[in-house]
Amino acid sequence: MRDDPTTRLDGRRLAALRRRRAAPPLADAPTVVLDARGTTAARRVRSRRIAPRPSWLILTMVLVVLGGLLFVEAYANAAFVPGERTAPGSQREVPTSIVEGGPIVNVGAEGRTQSHRLPPRTVALTFDDGPDARWTPEVLRVLDKHQVKATFFVIGTQVVRNPELARRMVADGHELGVHTFTHPDLAALPGWRRELEYAQTQLAIASATGVRTSLLRFPYSSSADAYTDRDWPMLRQAGELGYLTVVNDVDSRDWEKPSVDAMLANATPAGTGGTIALWHDAGGDRAGTVAALDRYIPMMRQRGYTFTTVSEGFGRTLTDAGVTGPGAQVAAPRADRWRGDVLVGAVRAADGMFRVFGVFFVVVGVLTVGRALLLFVLALRHAYRRRRRDWSWGPPVTAPVSVIVPAHNEKEGIAAAVRSLAAGDHPGGIEVVVVDDGSTDGTADIVAALGLPDVRVVRKPNGGKPSALNTGVALARHELIVMVDGDTIFEPDAVRRLVQPFADPRVGVVAGNVKVGNRRSLIAKWQHIEYVIGFNLDRRLYETLHCMPTVPGAIGAFRREALAQVGGMTDETLAEDTDVTMALGRAGWHIVYEESARAWTEAPATLGQLWKQRYRWSYGTMQAMWKHRRAVLDRGPSGRFTRRCLSFLTLFGVLLPLAAPVIDLLALYGLIFLDRGETVLAWLAMLAVQFLTAVVAFRLDREKLGVLWVLPLQQFVYRQLMYLVLLQSVVTALTGGRLGWQKLRRTGELDLAARRGTA
């Protein structure tokens, strides 16, 4: 049988072959079948393991929810509203009775206006922009100390975030007024937006306190004589909605943070008339306000003033005029409380999500910078050590090598792959065993027709890649085993260079340098960058730390002894290369990377094909991590390897990619709602770290840097696809789904690209 280039195996002959070789028992994959009945059963079992297709509806719903929460967060932080107005306007349309009247304005039906002042020698303390978790309690403490009630014109978002303070104000006898939900320049908003600002603030107040108020103060307003034509429509609308619009008589100007004495002077009325005084309990450091307030109340009492709330003082004014006015605060309808609870829940959810995003942002930043530093230090150390003139693995390895090529429907590239292996320059000789795993496209016939020496074809029923590899190992003549994918082309010296690390008897596995051969398309260029940075540079790091998790299926070398020790290849995961590599690392074998052994593979040319490949890789890696998880508690080499390996895979293979979309989401959020310049600088800084890492990786791999022009574009398409792949893999794993083998379509374009050595 050794002289026959084509062999058909059945179960009896395979068992006899193994007995004659007296080889150590190798674990066969449970899907290996050697007759029609077994093939049918295996395929039936595998068909029940197929995972459901990705649910784009669920993904869309997740994105909509996240987008909605970001929208709510932006709205709650006033990202959509115009800021403070800067130029005064005309007053031709504003009635003289308002401009020359008091600080309390009531615009009735058909534009009839009433302007009111507080009774003489009364002061209403009013506070804007709260409640604030830091300073509102300090203001309340001073008011309670002097037994004074005040009016707080609150911002709706602040009430949502500090509901206990709003409840405390009402419980202590203070009153609330509406100061809008997000503090915009109302004159720059349409009428429906203004009404929405008032209504949402009322809902927030109703949810927190159970009351509603009829008092309203416009943001950026001052005294009555400052009303302009821009304010007149707002005044009319507020009156139609049942609000009393309140400005002030005196302004402490504490928002400018003057001295305490200056605040007292600003807030002191010139005569003995009633006064509405403007202060702030939020918006920055209010220590000066608290200190000034503590002096202002006794000072005004010494001048004969009494303190009141706006509604109480307004009520006295109406009583003096023989009119009875309604109270400013009444119980809110139950429906308003429910609606307010929904509004509060939405804002709190958005705030919570944003805080989580902030944590993720820090995590991503730390992991990204930490990974970059590790790569720079350890990968450069690895490269420097390998390139020293006196460095070597040991005496040249000239033992013969068996190359196993599992092939299932590989007609497009199998001939080029086998020719490249047969042309290898390894001095000990190369035996090529092509295991045709139930191909239906004539793959085995193509190889047999080549008529190459030392190339054998083994035909077997389809049982999966691990089964094909185990079959090839059982039939191989030599102790050094190289495993190669059926679409991979080796450079002439690749096998020779790949096996040189076996000069060190501690080395059990060697990873080669996989190159993307079809680099013409943009998708392929992105994968080329990923192979150089994400795979080859990482392998230098992993080798230095003795925790390499994966020897690539495209080019990897094994000692037969090592494979036998761990039971050979299994189909317990979809990443059989990662599974066996972890098993060998746990067994104490050294796993190394030989950068000079280069092989060219055909990368997926479409997004759909790329999705299938990476979905399988990602899911299979998670399976392998889960399979070996208990080894973190082992002692000796098994525990040391597993703890390092799984820690790095968890941090940089799962957590970092899952959290990394936060960078993009926050960048998009910042470009729309925050300071664009700072956002762009932060994003460019992150890109610069990636670009620097790419330059180092390409230099170490002796690759041309010209292709890196596509790196920025990679952030917008390719990286998003990888996010979705990992997310889908996590969902599949958590829901108990099982993923079937994802066979990719090949084009055969690799041969020309590899012979040129570039693309």
Side-chain angles (χ1 to χ4, degrees):
M1 182 171 60
R2 294 181 184 275
D3 298 326
D4 183 3
T6 304
T7 304
R8 292 185 181 274
L9 290 181
D10 56 23
R12 186 178 304 172
R13 294 185 67 188
L14 181 58
L17 173 67
R18 288 177 175 167
R19 285 196 299 270
R20 284 199 302 272
R21 289 188 55 82
L26 293 174
D28 289 329
T31 54
V32 173
V33 291
L34 301 173
D35 55 40
R37 180 179 178 183
T39 302
T40 302
R43 287 175 179 168
R44 186 168 59 249
V45 170
R46 286 197 300 276
S47 68
R48 290 197 297 265
R49 292 165 59 91
I50 301 298
R53 294 180 180 229
S55 177
W56 296 109
L57 177 60
I58 294 178
L59 178 60
T60 301
M61 291 175 62
V62 170
L63 293 177
V64 168
V65 170
L66 288 178
L69 289 175
L70 283 175
F71 180 88
V72 171
E73 181 68 15
Y75 180 71
N77 291 323
F80 295 106
V81 299
E84 182 178 1
R85 49 183 159 179
T86 58
S90 168
Q91 295 181 312
R92 286 176 297 185
E93 297 182 12
V94 184
T96 303
S97 60
I98 291 181
V99 175
E100 297 179 356
I104 304 173
V105 177
N106 182 15
V107 180
E110 299 178 356
R112 290 193 300 269
T113 62
Q114 294 175 318
S115 181
H116 304 277
R117 296 183 182 276
L118 297 186
R121 294 190 181 276
T122 59
V123 178
L125 294 175
T126 64
F127 297 88
D128 285 5
D129 298 348
D132 178 83
R134 172 66 181 89
W135 295 110
T136 299
E138 292 296 309
V139 170
L140 291 175
R141 179 184 60 80
V142 174
L143 296 177
D144 183 62
K145 172 184 174 182
H146 295 285
Q147 295 297 299
V148 170
K149 307 304 178 186
T151 302
F152 290 84
F153 288 92
V154 295
I155 296 176
T157 54
Q158 291 293 91
V159 174
V160 168
R161 289 160 178 162
N162 302 287
E164 68 287 347
L165 290 176
R167 282 193 292 272
R168 177 181 170 185
M169 292 173 186
V170 173
D172 289 350
H174 304 289
E175 68 182 3
L176 305 182
V178 171
H179 199 45
T180 70
F181 195 73
T182 60
H183 204 272
D185 176 8
L186 292 173
L189 298 181
W192 68 269
R193 278 291 309 277
R194 293 196 292 264
E195 186 173 351
L196 185 63
E197 287 280 332
Y198 309 151
Q200 288 176 328
T201 308
Q202 292 281 18
L203 292 177
I205 293 173
S207 175
T209 68
V211 302
R212 64 176 291 116
T213 178
S214 61
L215 301 180
L216 170 65
R217 174 175 282 170
F218 303 145
Y220 311 114
S221 61
S222 57
S223 56
D225 59 4
Y227 282 128
T228 67
D229 293 345
R230 297 174 78 242
D231 301 314
W232 178 235
M234 299 190 308
L235 288 166
R236 294 185 60 180
Q237 183 184 29
E240 292 170 358
L241 294 173
Y243 287 104
L244 291 174
T245 305
V246 182
V247 283
N248 58 271
D249 293 295
V250 293
D251 184 355
S252 68
R253 304 188 74 83
D254 58 345
W255 46 274
E256 293 181 336
K257 295 184 175 60
S259 66
V260 171
D261 289 337
M263 293 185 204
L264 294 175
N266 294 333
T268 302
T272 60
T275 299
I276 295 179
L278 172 61
W279 302 78
H280 293 81
D281 63 324
D285 187 347
R286 295 296 171 219
T289 299
V290 174
L293 193 63
D294 201 22
R295 291 172 52 185
Y296 180 76
I297 295 174
M299 182 187 74
M300 294 302 292
R301 279 176 171 166
Q302 289 177 0
R303 295 185 58 179
Y305 279 80
T306 59
F307 287 86
T308 183
T309 62
V310 170
S311 62
E312 183 180 294
F314 177 58
R316 292 181 192 173
T317 299
L318 294 181
T319 300
D320 292 343
V323 180
T324 301
Q329 288 184 172
V330 296
R334 185 178 298 274
D336 283 359
R337 298 182 192 181
W338 290 345
R339 292 163 58 201
D341 291 342
V342 172
L343 176 65
V344 169
V347 175
R348 288 182 178 175
D351 286 346
M353 185 198 70
F354 214 69
R355 285 193 291 269
V356 171
F357 275 15
V359 172
F360 279 176
F361 183 85
V362 174
V363 170
V364 170
V366 171
L367 289 178
T368 300
V369 174
R371 179 178 179 271
L373 291 176
L374 280 175
L375 286 173
F376 291 155
V377 174
L378 299 183
L380 288 173
R381 175 186 172 190
H382 176 278
Y384 172 75
R385 182 169 58 90
R386 290 288 182 86
R387 293 178 184 181
R388 288 170 48 189
R389 292 184 178 181
D390 60 343
W391 185 88
S392 69
W393 291 107
V397 175
T398 59
V401 176
S402 294
V403 180
I404 312 302
V405 186
H408 175 72
N409 292 340
E410 299 283 0
K411 68 176 182 178
E412 292 84 1
I414 192 65
V418 172
R419 285 195 190 99
S420 71
L421 293 168
D425 63 4
H426 181 59
I430 300 173
E431 170 200 37
V432 180
V433 181
V434 179
V435 182
D436 183 82
D437 191 40
S439 297
T440 57
D441 65 348
T443 295
D445 297 331
I446 293 173
V447 178
L450 296 176
L452 296 173
D454 293 321
V455 175
R456 288 185 291 157
V457 182
V458 178
R459 304 173 191 257
K460 61 181 289 296
N462 179 247
K465 186 178 180 180
S467 169
L469 289 170
N470 284 335
T471 300
V473 171
L475 292 170
R477 299 186 178 104
H478 308 305
E479 297 304 310
L480 298 183
I481 307 294
V482 173
M483 296 184 182
V484 183
D485 285 344
D487 61 344
T488 303
I489 296 177
F490 272 39
E491 293 188 354
D493 61 351
V495 172
R496 171 172 56 83
R497 292 180 179 275
L498 185 64
V499 298
Q500 294 310 305
F502 289 127
D504 183 344
R506 299 171 299 174
V507 174
V509 199
V510 184
N513 189 340
V514 183
K515 295 291 184 182
V516 173
N518 54 327
R519 303 180 192 175
R520 293 186 180 88
S521 69
L522 186 61
I523 295 175
K525 284 182 172 65
W526 286 335
Q527 292 173 83
H528 167 49
I529 294 174
E530 182 185 27
Y531 272 63
V532 175
I533 302 175
F535 299 156
N536 294 338
L537 187 61
D538 280 357
R539 288 193 179 102
R540 300 174 191 271
L541 168 66
Y542 289 135
E543 181 189 328
T544 304
L545 296 177
H546 302 290
C547 62
M548 190 179 300
T550 305
V551 169
I555 176 171
F558 302 80
R559 291 186 191 271
R560 182 189 293 274
E561 175 189 358
L563 282 173
Q565 183 177 350
V566 300
M569 313 297 287
T570 75
D571 74 342
E572 294 175 1
T573 74
L574 290 177
E576 77 292 331
D577 46 5
T578 299
D579 189 1
V580 75
T581 303
M582 289 185 179
L584 291 166
R586 290 179 55 195
W589 291 98
H590 284 201
I591 307 168
V592 299
Y593 171 56
E594 181 49 65
E595 63 182 274
S596 64
R598 305 202 307 175
W600 298 78
T601 189
E602 181 181 340
T606 66
L607 289 178
Q609 291 290 298
L610 179 63
W611 175 281
K612 288 183 178 181
Q613 182 193 68
R614 299 312 168 86
Y615 190 11
R616 176 175 62 82
W617 286 3
S618 179
Y619 183 76
T621 299
M622 291 181 186
Q623 286 181 309
M625 293 171 65
W626 184 254
K627 175 181 175 180
H628 295 278
R629 69 192 184 281
R630 292 190 177 91
V632 297
L633 302 177
D634 290 350
R635 296 182 177 180
S638 176
R640 288 194 298 270
F641 172 86
T642 308
R643 284 188 287 273
R644 293 179 187 176
C645 179
L646 294 190
S647 295
F648 274 88
L649 281 179
T650 301
L651 287 175
F652 301 123
V654 178
L655 291 182
L656 180 57
L658 280 178
V662 173
I663 299 294
D664 299 325
L665 284 174
L666 291 182
L668 182 61
Y669 182 90
L671 286 174
I672 299 174
F673 304 120
L674 303 179
D675 186 286
R676 290 184 177 86
E678 293 181 357
T679 300
V680 170
L681 286 177
W683 189 84
L684 289 177
M686 193 66 67
L687 181 62
V689 172
Q690 297 180 12
F691 188 80
L692 182 59
T693 304
V695 171
V696 171
F698 270 62
R699 285 301 187 191
L700 292 179
D701 237 26
R702 296 183 173 89
E703 288 282 353
K704 296 179 180 179
L705 300 179
V707 72
L708 293 182
W709 71 268
V710 304
L711 185 60
L713 298 177
Q714 193 178 36
Q715 313 303 308
F716 299 104
V717 179
Y718 186 81
R719 202 168 69 173
Q720 317 309 319
L721 181 66
M722 295 301 102
Y723 297 158
L724 298 181
V725 166
L726 184 61
L727 179 62
Q728 179 69 16
S729 301
V730 171
V731 171
T732 302
L734 293 178
T735 56
R738 292 294 183 268
L739 182 65
W741 189 270
Q742 306 287 321
K743 175 64 179 175
L744 303 180
R745 293 190 298 270
R746 300 300 180 184
T747 64
E749 295 179 357
L750 178 60
D751 189 14
L752 177 61
R755 282 185 291 182
R756 290 176 178 173
T758 184

